[in-house]
Amino acid sequence: MSAQIQEKNSHVTLYGRRWSKENASISRTFDKLVVVIIFIAMAAAFHLHFQLTVGDWDFWVDWKDRQYWVTATPILLIVFPAALQFVLWEKFRLPIGATVCMLALTAGVWISRYFGFHTWSYFPFSLVFPATAIAGALVLDAVLLLTGSGLLTAVFGGMAFGLLFYPGNWPLLAAYRLPMEAMNSLVSVGDYIGYAYTRTSTPEYLRFIERGTLRTFGGHSAVVSAFFSGFVCILVYLLWWYIGQVMSRVVTVPNRMKSLMGLGDRPDTP
Amino acid sequence: MSSVIQTPVQTSARADSPAKERSVFNPRLALGTMVGITLLMAAYRIYQQIFAWSAGLDSTDPAFETYWMNLLKGELVLLVCSWVGLWSWLWVTRDRNLAALKPRDEIRRYFNLVLYILVYAFCVYFTGSFFAEMDASWHQTVVRDTAFTPSHVILFYGTIPLYILFGVGAFLYSVTRLPRFAERLSIPFTLAVAGPFLILPNLGYNEWGHAFWMMEEFFSAPLHWGFVVLGWSVLALGGLLLQIAQHMFETMGRLEQEAA
């Protein structure tokens, strides 16, 4: 076999760089492992963050109101996508940070909602189905891809993320907003399911839903909530883009236990 | 898919078996561990389904002692044994001659480290997502009795110690087997391990708060926000990813030079 053919068979050129086939294989295997780890880690950490901040509004259909739910959920949901977008875009030029986060969260939430609230605590799934923010995450990634700028993504993507939350969940929620009469009162179908399946350890008088009116602008409170949410999402996105930057810094300190480990007196590697 | 170069491998002092053709990527142990963890979590879940409502509502009930306190005691014993066992084994079998580590062996150890982190993340998923939200479904249905309740016996004393085992284990593996991690301690790695570890003592504070203030069971209560902040430390895996990628890239260059 000629030297040129041997050379061609033993090396590949990827993105303008020449790799040995073994190194190319190592690189690809590493990539696959990292994707799996990121997905699982985001499902864990993002879900923990989500359930302990806006979890109560997401757990129950009668908590999915037009004020607190619409306002608080996008603000707290944009946290991890912003941080992960920094790492994946700035370091790897991958515009998938928000979508990966949101898919991982959705997977984790649906699994735990089914195995926890539905099959363990016997709440009907119509009461405990989770909300979705995948539409907003797709737009967030698309804006980052098109602009290549964290600032512009914060402004346009963040606002879109806040505004898209309510309409993105409308197909799930609309049926439970239908009016009905119960005990001589006008209630929604979602409210009535909540009356039938009381949360025995959380008193009704402490529900943080639809406090106040938000009718100042003379109309639908959900629209006002969504715009307010969008504005705060812009600020939260910027903050967490920079926190992502801080968390992804490679910082090391000298290991003062070297001699204990039997490494002896060796110069530090730069 | 990993290609195998059929050359004999000389390894440094202790950690690897001598002069044997081995792939740099061997996920069998990690995959087997993840299968075992999945079976354990399924067993926990089934145990909760059968015994939580029937024997877990009243801590003064003798059945509670049988099905839940005995499980707790078993978990505490297993916790101590597994932590001491794995961490001391990693330390005792540390590589005392990292300077002699060949690039190919170093790449193999980096893959082992990444597989350790994969198992760690897998355990954190069951804690932070699966059983944590089940804890919400339990507490928002059942009035809190004591801190030793069915959801806690599994979550606090089963799943959390398990991810601590692998998180600290991964850190110890890197420090005892990889030259650059042995030379200089990685702050992102420390954060990614210490943050979730601190969830365990924070649970003590959380239980005190629930008992002292007799709180209603909102998951979004400020008392729980310590867990939120500690969960953010998982983002430090981004820094660790970059560090490992940099190291592997450099080592792959040396591997190529060696092969040339």
Side-chain angles (χ1 to χ4, degrees):
Chain A
M1 192 183 286
S2 74
Q4 284 170 330
I5 293 172
Q6 276 183 325
E7 161 79 5
K8 189 179 169 188
N9 287 345
S10 68
H11 284 77
V12 293
T13 301
L14 295 170
Y15 301 107
R17 197 189 185 278
R18 202 164 145 276
W19 298 78
S20 68
K21 283 195 172 174
E22 186 187 23
N23 276 346
S25 169
I26 288 171
S27 175
R28 184 58 64 204
T29 306
F30 180 74
D31 291 347
K32 289 176 190 167
L33 280 175
V34 166
V35 165
V36 173
I37 290 173
I38 287 177
F39 191 87
I40 295 174
M42 284 302 108
F46 193 15
H47 191 189
L48 185 68
H49 159 92
F50 174 69
Q51 66 187 274
L52 292 171
T53 49
V54 287
D56 298 295
W57 286 275
D58 197 66
F59 293 159
W60 317 107
V61 73
D62 57 349
W63 276 64
K64 291 181 172 70
D65 66 349
R66 295 166 292 185
Q67 296 174 7
Y68 276 85
W69 177 61
V70 179
T71 306
T73 310
I75 290 168
L76 287 148
L77 273 182
I78 207 170
V79 164
F80 271 73
L84 195 64
Q85 275 193 325
F86 173 85
V87 177
L88 292 183
W89 178 254
E90 291 292 320
K91 305 298 179 184
F92 299 101
R93 278 298 181 263
L94 289 172
I96 59 172
T99 313
V100 165
C101 270
M102 219 52 76
L103 285 174
L105 175 69
T106 303
V109 161
W110 274 81
I111 290 169
S112 63
R113 213 55 64 82
Y114 178 80
F115 283 103
F117 283 84
H118 183 51
T119 57
W120 197 32
S121 300
Y122 305 109
F123 291 107
F125 214 78
S126 54
L127 178 61
V128 298
F129 67 87
T132 175
I134 293 176
L138 286 168
V139 169
L140 207 56
D141 275 334
V143 172
L144 180 62
L145 174 63
L146 292 171
T147 63
S149 160
L151 178 61
L152 292 175
T153 307
V155 173
F156 296 105
M159 178 58 84
F161 190 82
L163 291 177
L164 281 171
F165 181 71
Y166 192 67
N169 282 282
W170 188 244
L172 294 171
L173 200 55
Y176 301 97
R177 291 294 171 85
L178 289 171
M180 59 175 286
E181 185 187 343
M183 297 174 282
N184 289 325
S185 295
L186 176 67
V187 298
S188 68
V189 171
D191 287 333
Y192 192 68
I193 298 174
Y195 298 156
Y197 291 89
T198 55
R199 277 49 53 92
T200 38
S201 190
T202 49
E204 288 294 306
Y205 61 86
L206 284 178
R207 290 199 299 172
F208 289 95
I209 60 167
E210 298 256 341
R211 294 277 176 94
T213 61
L214 278 183
R215 310 271 182 229
T216 305
F217 295 98
H220 207 309
S221 57
V223 177
V224 178
S225 304
F227 271 100
F228 177 65
S229 177
F231 280 118
V232 180
C233 278
I234 294 172
L235 300 173
V236 173
Y237 185 96
L238 279 169
L239 171 66
W240 279 89
W241 176 268
Y242 287 108
I243 289 178
Q245 188 175 7
V246 168
M247 296 294 259
S248 60
R249 276 206 189 119
V250 179
V251 179
T252 59
V253 295
N255 180 7
R256 303 204 186 282
M257 291 197 309
K258 273 190 310 188
S259 55
L260 184 66
M261 290 166 56
L263 292 177
D265 195 14
R266 297 173 63 236
D268 284 342
T269 307
Chain B
M1 57 147 215
S2 55
S3 60
V4 178
I5 300 291
Q6 301 296 320
T7 51
V9 174
Q10 290 295 325
T11 63
S12 64
R14 189 236 73 83
D16 300 318
S17 51
K20 193 176 167 183
E21 296 167 4
R22 284 199 292 156
S23 168
V24 292
F25 178 60
N26 184 1
R28 274 181 299 210
L29 183 59
L31 288 174
T33 306
M34 287 167 71
V35 168
I37 290 167
T38 306
L39 291 172
L40 175 65
M41 299 302 160
Y44 271 146
R45 176 67 187 82
I46 293 166
Y47 194 88
Q48 283 181 317
Q49 188 74 28
I50 298 171
F51 295 112
W53 297 105
S54 61
L57 295 178
D58 180 0
S59 62
T60 61
D61 185 349
F64 188 92
E65 184 70 29
T66 305
Y67 292 106
W68 292 105
M69 294 309 287
N70 286 337
L71 176 62
L72 171 65
K73 289 166 193 167
E75 283 174 329
L76 288 173
V77 169
L78 209 62
L79 178 165
V80 172
C81 291
S82 61
W83 285 9
V84 169
L86 179 66
W87 298 346
S88 58
W89 179 82
L90 284 168
W91 181 261
V92 163
T93 58
R94 66 190 183 277
D95 190 343
R96 289 171 173 80
N97 189 14
L98 286 170
L101 188 63
K102 295 282 191 264
R104 189 173 172 76
D105 295 323
E106 195 169 343
I107 294 279
R108 181 181 300 114
R109 290 183 186 181
Y110 273 114
F111 272 123
N112 288 343
L113 176 64
V114 173
L115 288 168
Y116 244 113
I117 294 168
L118 172 64
V119 174
Y120 174 49
F122 193 61
C123 294
V124 176
Y125 159 74
F126 280 105
T127 307
S129 175
F130 190 78
F131 285 105
E133 210 173 84
M134 282 186 67
D135 190 53
S137 72
W138 180 255
H139 286 303
Q140 295 197 352
T141 315
V142 177
V143 174
R144 191 178 286 256
D145 183 5
T146 70
F148 295 132
T149 194
S151 60
H152 290 180
V153 169
I154 305 289
L155 180 63
F156 297 178
Y157 306 103
T159 61
I160 290 179
L162 192 62
Y163 78 60
I164 291 174
L165 174 73
F166 290 109
V168 175
F171 188 85
L172 282 174
Y173 183 90
S174 71
V175 166
T176 57
R177 283 147 172 81
L178 290 164
R180 285 187 227 206
F181 283 98
E183 282 294 326
R184 297 182 70 84
L185 298 177
S186 166
I187 296 299
F189 206 165
T190 307
L191 278 175
V193 171
F197 172 82
L198 288 172
I199 285 178
L200 198 56
N202 194 59
L203 284 165
Y205 164 68
N206 181 67
E207 291 308 305
W208 172 82
H210 277 285
F212 188 69
W213 289 303
M214 300 289 284
M215 297 168 58
E216 282 76 22
E217 297 287 353
F218 290 117
F219 239 38
S220 53
L223 181 67
H224 296 147
W225 290 350
F227 299 119
V228 176
V229 174
L230 292 171
W232 295 343
S233 64
V234 172
L235 288 170
L237 285 177
L240 181 60
L241 162 65
L242 292 173
Q243 187 174 13
I244 292 175
Q246 285 171 3
H247 292 181
M248 283 188 77
F249 193 73
E250 189 274 338
T251 309
M252 284 156 63
R254 286 191 284 127
L255 184 66
E256 199 148 333
Q257 281 172 8
E258 203 178 64

